[in-house]
């Protein structure tokens, strides 16, 4: 049976490095990104470099339910869904609060919903979250009213209900990002429970300060990023492949009994801040 992998956000940065590693684990690799030119270039690079998998670009905005249905159909045409590394997302400097939730949390839920019928024994999914909820402490004692709203991101009126619950502060993009990524943590745990009976797995991964182009944009905008780097026990910001290596492990057979957890890839900075 032909195995199929999906890497989202694969046009650049961590998504592209995840794709490079995933190409060694599947027979067919679908590279997903909303930037059609970038994902086509990425597919050309991977196809011409002896990676092993057949690599195919797939232009898609992860908030597009119809597009996700087309992606699922393409997986069926190729074979069996083996691995998904969902790295697509946006950061606080890139959009307003609504768009941050739509891409980072609602998009995650839409992708999982569309691919869930394809999950079978051995399928593994990794959803990109962030260390932001740990830095803010919302993971330790989440507000139960907010958590209840976050746990149903595909509900009608989700964003309006969220604003009513959190209040106008949610329009701060940094706070929106923190809660959206906490929602991803919660979603991954719930998805692991949903998928378990089929033999499939789901986890989340939380990068720290990673110097991708997006990470550098955040660092240029926020002095607090440098303070986090200064507190990092390993003494440096992360690199894209530091995270990709862990994501690739999580979808590999070596991680076959890991499900429902978040893996923090931050060089130890959260431990330093909490010690």
């Amino acid at each position: 049976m032909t195995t199929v992998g999906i890497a989202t956000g694969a046009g650049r940065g961590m998504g592209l490095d995840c794709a490079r590693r995933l190409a060694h684990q599947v027979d067919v690799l679908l590279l997903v990104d909303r930037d059609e030119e970038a994902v086509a270039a990425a597919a050309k690079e991977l196809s011409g470099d002896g990676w092993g998998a057949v690599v195919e670009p797939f232009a898609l905005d992860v908030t597009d339910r119809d597009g996700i249905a087309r992606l699922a159909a393409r997986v069926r045409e190729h074979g069996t869904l083996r691995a998904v590394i969902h790295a697509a997302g946006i950061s606080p400097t890139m959009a307003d609060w609504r768009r941050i939730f739509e891409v980072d949390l609602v998009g995650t839920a839409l992708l999982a919903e569309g691919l869930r019928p394809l999950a079978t024994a051995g399928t593994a999914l990794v959803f990109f979250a962030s260390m932001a909820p740990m830095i803010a402490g919302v993971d330790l004692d989440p507000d139960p009213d907010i958590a209840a709203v976050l746990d149903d991101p595909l509900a009608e009126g989700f964003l309006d209900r969220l604003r009513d619950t959190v209040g106008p502060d949610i329009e701060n993009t940094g706070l929106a990002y923190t809660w959206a990524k906490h929602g991803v943590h919660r979603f991954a745990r719930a998805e692991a429970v949903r998928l378990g009976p089929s033999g499939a797995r789901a986890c989340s991964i939380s990068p720290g300060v990673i110097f991708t182009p997006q990470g550098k944009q955040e660092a240029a905008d926020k002095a607090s990023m440098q303070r986090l780097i200064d507190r990092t026990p390993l003494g440096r910001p992360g690199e894209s492949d530091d995270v990709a290596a862990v994501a690739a492990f999580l979808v590999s057979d070596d991680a076959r009994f890991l499900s429902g957890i978040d893996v923090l890839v931050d060089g130890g900075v959260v431990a330093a801040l909490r010690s």
Side-chain angles (χ1 to χ4, degrees), residues 173-192:
T173 57
L175 184 62
Y177 180 81
T178 294
W179 280 112
K181 292 302 190 179
H182 179 61
V184 174
H185 289 151
R186 302 178 67 87
F187 182 85
R189 293 196 295 267
E191 190 69 2

Side-chain angles (χ1 to χ4, degrees), residues 101 146 149-150 158-167 170:
F101 272 103
I146 300 175
V149 178
L150 287 175
F158 166 68
L159 291 174
D160 292 333
R161 291 174 57 220
L162 189 63
R163 191 187 186 283
D164 289 343
T165 305
V166 178
I170 197 64

